[in-house]
Every structure is written in C-alpha cells, then in structure tokens.
Amino acid sequence: MLTITRDLYDQIVAHAREDHPDEACGIIAGPEESDRPERFVRMTNAAGSPTFYEFDSTEHKRLSDAMWDNDEEAVVVYHSHTATEAYPSRTDISYAHEPQAHYVIVSTADTDGFGDFQFRSYRILEGEVTEEEVKVVESY
C-alpha cells in the first residue's frame, strides 16, 4: 500500500494537469528503506510528448546525486497519461528500474466516467505489475 500525504497527492495531480496535453513526470524522495514519500521533485519530461515521458538526464543525475548524499531513495516515481487509463504501458514497465518504488500514474483523461482524473499506484518488479491501494493522509 502507498501511504501519501494530501499535499504530495495534490502536487502530483496539479503537475499532471499543468503539463497536459504532455505527460508530466517526477519523483518523491524519502529516507532510504522508509517507504515514506517526503520530498516532491518535479522533473522535466525531456520527450515533451503526450504519449511518452523521459526524465531530463541532467536533472535526473543531479537528483540521484542529491538523494545519495542525503541517504534518500525514490519512494514514488510518477507520471501522467493524457489519453489512456492510469495503467502502466509496456514502455512504462520496461523503464521500471526502482524495485522499492511505488509507480504512480495519474490519468488526465476521463476513461472511467468517475471524474476528470485517476490516481493509481503499482509495484513493478521484473516486469510484473501489481496494483496497490493508495491511502491519502493529512500527515505522517
């Protein structure tokens, strides 16, 4: 289960809406081995695409170095889908290289009739996708 604060949840959704029609992407860092997302890091989608995301390599290297220096890891890796449901594509699955991370997808397309976005989280290990519950809390 992903437990995330309302503030972080809202920042992810806002980023997805702001970057629409292109996909948004980013990371929420947290203390190593804590499973606690704390630090929101909005990344640039270097692909600039409505169907694909790719972290800007310079930003990603800088963030990786900072997380290493601060004993942090990527607790959440998020991106948006702009025209499809919030489910990992084959490309998303092939790029899932953080075994400890929750992979969050926000769909800004109303694909299920339940509102203007979907927020879903997955664990992706060795190509296997498992959806997990999302619990939004006011604070930890």
Side-chain angles (χ1 to χ4, degrees):
M1 172 173 48
L2 168 62
T3 301
I4 188 168
T5 62
R6 169 67 56 195
D7 180 58
L8 292 171
Y9 177 96
D10 289 346
Q11 287 184 74
I12 292 171
V13 173
H15 186 194
R17 287 178 168 158
E18 288 168 21
D19 281 14
H20 186 89
D22 289 336
E23 289 193 5
C25 57
I27 289 175
I28 302 179
E32 285 182 339
E33 299 181 22
S34 70
D35 199 37
R36 184 173 163 158
E38 293 184 350
R39 186 166 64 93
F40 179 83
V41 184
R42 179 182 182 135
M43 303 289 285
T44 301
N45 179 355
S49 169
T51 59
F52 178 74
Y53 83 96
E54 180 179 20
F55 291 145
D56 176 86
S57 60
T58 302
E59 284 181 5
H60 194 229
K61 171 74 168 112
R62 196 173 317 138
L63 175 59
S64 295
D65 291 348
M67 287 190 301
W68 176 264
D69 291 344
N70 295 320
D71 296 322
E72 294 177 312
E73 64 186 7
V75 177
V76 172
V77 176
Y78 75 87
H79 75 283
S80 62
H81 284 181
T82 61
T84 60
E85 71 173 314
Y87 190 84
S89 68
R90 279 181 268 139
T91 302
D92 297 338
I93 294 166
S94 71
Y95 286 146
H97 299 295
E98 302 284 349
Q100 79 289 347
H102 302 269
Y103 286 89
V104 166
I105 301 175
V106 174
S107 174
T108 54
D110 182 4
T111 58
D112 61 5
F114 289 111
D116 60 349
F117 73 93
Q118 296 174 348
F119 187 108
R120 294 167 71 183
S121 183
Y122 303 89
R123 292 293 191 155
I124 304 174
L125 297 170
E126 298 178 7
E128 185 174 323
V129 177
T130 305
E131 187 165 7
E132 62 183 350
E133 180 182 345
V134 176
K135 181 179 179 183
V136 180
V137 297
E138 293 308 314
S139 64
Y140 300 124

Short mmCIF file of all heavy atoms in Angstrom, two decimals, residues 19-53:
data_model
loop_
_atom_site.label_atom_id
_atom_site.label_comp_id
_atom_site.label_asym_id
_atom_site.label_seq_id
_atom_site.Cartn_x
_atom_site.Cartn_y
_atom_site.Cartn_z
N ASP A 19 0.86 20.10 -17.03
CA ASP A 19 1.63 19.68 -18.21
C ASP A 19 0.75 19.11 -19.33
O ASP A 19 1.24 18.92 -20.44
CB ASP A 19 2.70 18.67 -17.82
CG ASP A 19 3.92 19.33 -17.21
OD1 ASP A 19 3.84 20.53 -16.85
OD2 ASP A 19 4.96 18.65 -17.08
N HIS A 20 -0.50 18.82 -19.04
CA HIS A 20 -1.43 18.30 -20.06
C HIS A 20 -1.47 19.29 -21.23
O HIS A 20 -1.55 20.47 -20.99
CB HIS A 20 -2.83 18.15 -19.44
CG HIS A 20 -3.80 17.48 -20.36
ND1 HIS A 20 -3.96 16.12 -20.40
CD2 HIS A 20 -4.65 18.00 -21.27
CE1 HIS A 20 -4.89 15.83 -21.30
NE2 HIS A 20 -5.30 16.96 -21.84
N PRO A 21 -1.36 18.91 -22.48
CA PRO A 21 -1.55 17.56 -23.00
C PRO A 21 -0.29 16.70 -23.03
O PRO A 21 -0.36 15.56 -23.46
CB PRO A 21 -2.06 17.81 -24.41
CG PRO A 21 -1.35 19.06 -24.83
CD PRO A 21 -1.27 19.89 -23.56
N ASP A 22 0.87 17.21 -22.57
CA ASP A 22 2.05 16.37 -22.49
C ASP A 22 2.05 15.61 -21.17
O ASP A 22 1.44 16.04 -20.20
CB ASP A 22 3.34 17.19 -22.60
CG ASP A 22 3.54 17.75 -24.00
OD1 ASP A 22 3.01 17.16 -24.96
OD2 ASP A 22 4.24 18.77 -24.12
N GLU A 23 2.77 14.50 -21.13
CA GLU A 23 2.89 13.74 -19.90
C GLU A 23 3.80 14.48 -18.92
O GLU A 23 4.82 15.03 -19.31
CB GLU A 23 3.45 12.33 -20.16
CG GLU A 23 2.48 11.43 -20.86
CD GLU A 23 2.88 9.97 -20.86
OE1 GLU A 23 3.90 9.59 -20.22
OE2 GLU A 23 2.17 9.17 -21.49
N ALA A 24 3.41 14.47 -17.66
CA ALA A 24 4.21 15.02 -16.57
C ALA A 24 4.97 13.87 -15.92
O ALA A 24 4.55 12.71 -16.01
CB ALA A 24 3.31 15.69 -15.55
N CYS A 25 6.06 14.19 -15.22
CA CYS A 25 6.81 13.14 -14.54
C CYS A 25 7.58 13.73 -13.38
O CYS A 25 7.88 14.92 -13.34
CB CYS A 25 7.74 12.42 -15.50
SG CYS A 25 8.94 13.47 -16.36
N GLY A 26 7.90 12.86 -12.42
CA GLY A 26 8.69 13.31 -11.28
C GLY A 26 8.92 12.19 -10.29
O GLY A 26 8.54 11.03 -10.52
N ILE A 27 9.54 12.56 -9.19
CA ILE A 27 9.91 11.61 -8.14
C ILE A 27 9.56 12.22 -6.80
O ILE A 27 9.66 13.44 -6.62
CB ILE A 27 11.43 11.31 -8.21
CG1 ILE A 27 11.74 10.46 -9.45
CG2 ILE A 27 11.94 10.63 -6.94
CD1 ILE A 27 13.21 10.20 -9.69
N ILE A 28 9.16 11.38 -5.88
CA ILE A 28 9.07 11.80 -4.49
C ILE A 28 10.11 10.99 -3.73
O ILE A 28 10.05 9.76 -3.68
CB ILE A 28 7.67 11.62 -3.89
CG1 ILE A 28 6.65 12.40 -4.72
CG2 ILE A 28 7.66 12.10 -2.43
CD1 ILE A 28 5.22 12.26 -4.22
N ALA A 29 11.08 11.70 -3.20
CA ALA A 29 12.17 11.07 -2.46
C ALA A 29 11.77 10.92 -1.00
O ALA A 29 10.92 11.64 -0.49
CB ALA A 29 13.44 11.92 -2.57
N GLY A 30 12.41 9.97 -0.36
CA GLY A 30 12.22 9.75 1.06
C GLY A 30 13.42 9.06 1.65
O GLY A 30 14.29 8.58 0.91
N PRO A 31 13.51 8.99 2.97
CA PRO A 31 14.64 8.31 3.61
C PRO A 31 14.77 6.88 3.10
O PRO A 31 13.76 6.18 2.90
CB PRO A 31 14.29 8.34 5.09
CG PRO A 31 13.31 9.47 5.24
CD PRO A 31 12.55 9.51 3.96
N GLU A 32 16.00 6.43 2.91
CA GLU A 32 16.25 5.06 2.44
C GLU A 32 15.52 4.05 3.32
O GLU A 32 15.53 4.16 4.55
CB GLU A 32 17.75 4.76 2.45
CG GLU A 32 18.50 5.41 1.33
CD GLU A 32 19.97 5.05 1.33
OE1 GLU A 32 20.50 4.63 2.38
OE2 GLU A 32 20.60 5.20 0.26
N GLU A 33 14.92 3.08 2.66
CA GLU A 33 14.24 1.95 3.31
C GLU A 33 13.10 2.37 4.25
O GLU A 33 12.70 1.60 5.12
CB GLU A 33 15.25 1.07 4.04
CG GLU A 33 16.30 0.50 3.10
CD GLU A 33 17.30 -0.39 3.79
OE1 GLU A 33 17.00 -0.92 4.88
OE2 GLU A 33 18.39 -0.59 3.22
N SER A 34 12.55 3.55 4.05
CA SER A 34 11.47 4.03 4.92
C SER A 34 10.08 3.81 4.33
O SER A 34 9.10 3.78 5.06
CB SER A 34 11.64 5.52 5.20
OG SER A 34 11.36 6.28 4.02
N ASP A 35 10.00 3.73 3.00
CA ASP A 35 8.73 3.66 2.28
C ASP A 35 7.86 4.87 2.60
O ASP A 35 6.64 4.80 2.63
CB ASP A 35 7.98 2.35 2.59
CG ASP A 35 6.92 2.04 1.54
OD1 ASP A 35 7.16 2.32 0.35
OD2 ASP A 35 5.84 1.55 1.91
N ARG A 36 8.51 6.01 2.86
CA ARG A 36 7.81 7.22 3.26
C ARG A 36 8.13 8.36 2.29
O ARG A 36 9.18 8.99 2.38
CB ARG A 36 8.23 7.60 4.67
CG ARG A 36 7.48 8.78 5.23
CD ARG A 36 7.86 8.93 6.67
NE ARG A 36 7.50 10.24 7.15
CZ ARG A 36 7.32 10.53 8.42
NH1 ARG A 36 7.47 9.60 9.34
NH2 ARG A 36 6.99 11.73 8.77
N PRO A 37 7.21 8.66 1.37
CA PRO A 37 7.46 9.76 0.44
C PRO A 37 7.42 11.10 1.17
O PRO A 37 6.50 11.38 1.93
CB PRO A 37 6.31 9.65 -0.57
CG PRO A 37 5.27 8.80 0.08
CD PRO A 37 5.93 8.00 1.15
N GLU A 38 8.46 11.91 0.94
CA GLU A 38 8.54 13.19 1.66
C GLU A 38 8.85 14.38 0.77
O GLU A 38 8.27 15.43 0.94
CB GLU A 38 9.61 13.11 2.76
CG GLU A 38 9.26 12.16 3.87
CD GLU A 38 10.28 12.15 5.00
OE1 GLU A 38 11.38 12.73 4.85
OE2 GLU A 38 9.96 11.54 6.04
N ARG A 39 9.81 14.25 -0.15
CA ARG A 39 10.30 15.42 -0.90
C ARG A 39 9.88 15.32 -2.36
O ARG A 39 10.37 14.51 -3.12
CB ARG A 39 11.82 15.50 -0.77
CG ARG A 39 12.40 16.75 -1.40
CD ARG A 39 13.83 16.98 -0.95
NE ARG A 39 14.76 15.94 -1.37
CZ ARG A 39 15.49 15.97 -2.49
NH1 ARG A 39 15.40 16.98 -3.32
NH2 ARG A 39 16.33 14.98 -2.76
N PHE A 40 8.94 16.21 -2.74
CA PHE A 40 8.41 16.26 -4.10
C PHE A 40 9.43 16.89 -5.03
O PHE A 40 9.93 17.98 -4.76
CB PHE A 40 7.12 17.09 -4.08
CG PHE A 40 6.47 17.25 -5.43
CD1 PHE A 40 5.65 16.26 -5.94
CD2 PHE A 40 6.68 18.40 -6.18
CE1 PHE A 40 5.05 16.40 -7.18
CE2 PHE A 40 6.07 18.55 -7.42
CZ PHE A 40 5.26 17.55 -7.92
N VAL A 41 9.73 16.19 -6.12
CA VAL A 41 10.67 16.71 -7.12
C VAL A 41 10.02 16.59 -8.49
O VAL A 41 9.88 15.51 -9.05
CB VAL A 41 12.01 15.93 -7.11
CG1 VAL A 41 12.98 16.57 -8.10
CG2 VAL A 41 12.61 15.90 -5.71
N ARG A 42 9.62 17.73 -8.98
CA ARG A 42 9.02 17.82 -10.31
C ARG A 42 10.14 17.74 -11.34
O ARG A 42 11.12 18.47 -11.25
CB ARG A 42 8.29 19.16 -10.39
CG ARG A 42 7.64 19.46 -11.67
CD ARG A 42 7.02 20.86 -11.55
NE ARG A 42 6.33 21.18 -12.75
CZ ARG A 42 5.14 21.74 -12.79
NH1 ARG A 42 4.51 22.05 -11.68
NH2 ARG A 42 4.57 21.99 -13.93
N MET A 43 10.01 16.84 -12.30
CA MET A 43 11.04 16.66 -13.32
C MET A 43 10.53 17.19 -14.66
O MET A 43 9.32 17.29 -14.88
CB MET A 43 11.41 15.18 -13.46
CG MET A 43 11.89 14.52 -12.17
SD MET A 43 13.50 15.04 -11.63
CE MET A 43 14.52 14.16 -12.81
N THR A 44 11.46 17.48 -15.54
CA THR A 44 11.12 17.89 -16.90
C THR A 44 10.98 16.65 -17.76
O THR A 44 11.83 15.76 -17.72
CB THR A 44 12.23 18.79 -17.49
OG1 THR A 44 12.37 19.94 -16.66
CG2 THR A 44 11.92 19.19 -18.91
N ASN A 45 9.89 16.57 -18.51
CA ASN A 45 9.72 15.50 -19.49
C ASN A 45 10.52 15.89 -20.72
O ASN A 45 10.07 16.69 -21.55
CB ASN A 45 8.25 15.29 -19.83
CG ASN A 45 8.04 14.19 -20.86
OD1 ASN A 45 8.99 13.63 -21.40
ND2 ASN A 45 6.79 13.89 -21.15
N ALA A 46 11.72 15.34 -20.84
CA ALA A 46 12.60 15.68 -21.96
C ALA A 46 12.00 15.27 -23.30
O ALA A 46 12.35 15.85 -24.33
CB ALA A 46 13.96 15.03 -21.76
N ALA A 47 11.09 14.31 -23.29
CA ALA A 47 10.45 13.88 -24.53
C ALA A 47 9.43 14.90 -25.00
O ALA A 47 9.11 14.95 -26.20
CB ALA A 47 9.79 12.51 -24.35
N GLY A 48 8.86 15.69 -24.08
CA GLY A 48 7.86 16.69 -24.46
C GLY A 48 6.74 16.08 -25.26
O GLY A 48 6.34 16.61 -26.29
N SER A 49 6.21 14.96 -24.78
CA SER A 49 5.28 14.15 -25.57
C SER A 49 3.99 13.87 -24.80
O SER A 49 4.02 13.69 -23.59
CB SER A 49 5.95 12.82 -25.92
OG SER A 49 5.03 11.91 -26.46
N PRO A 50 2.86 13.78 -25.51
CA PRO A 50 1.61 13.38 -24.87
C PRO A 50 1.49 11.87 -24.69
O PRO A 50 0.54 11.39 -24.07
CB PRO A 50 0.53 13.89 -25.82
CG PRO A 50 1.19 13.95 -27.15
CD PRO A 50 2.64 14.24 -26.89
N THR A 51 2.45 11.10 -25.20
CA THR A 51 2.35 9.64 -25.12
C THR A 51 3.57 8.97 -24.48
O THR A 51 3.62 7.76 -24.40
CB THR A 51 2.15 9.03 -26.52
OG1 THR A 51 3.26 9.40 -27.35
CG2 THR A 51 0.85 9.51 -27.15
N PHE A 52 4.53 9.75 -24.03
CA PHE A 52 5.77 9.17 -23.54
C PHE A 52 6.45 10.17 -22.60
O PHE A 52 6.34 11.37 -22.80
CB PHE A 52 6.69 8.88 -24.74
CG PHE A 52 8.02 8.32 -24.38
CD1 PHE A 52 8.16 7.01 -23.95
CD2 PHE A 52 9.17 9.08 -24.47
CE1 PHE A 52 9.41 6.48 -23.62
CE2 PHE A 52 10.43 8.56 -24.15
CZ PHE A 52 10.54 7.27 -23.73
N TYR A 53 7.11 9.64 -21.58
CA TYR A 53 7.90 10.54 -20.73
C TYR A 53 9.32 10.01 -20.61
O TYR A 53 9.57 8.82 -20.70
CB TYR A 53 7.28 10.72 -19.34
CG TYR A 53 7.61 9.61 -18.36
CD1 TYR A 53 8.67 9.76 -17.46
CD2 TYR A 53 6.88 8.43 -18.32
CE1 TYR A 53 8.98 8.76 -16.55
CE2 TYR A 53 7.19 7.43 -17.42
CZ TYR A 53 8.24 7.60 -16.54
OH TYR A 53 8.55 6.60 -15.65
#
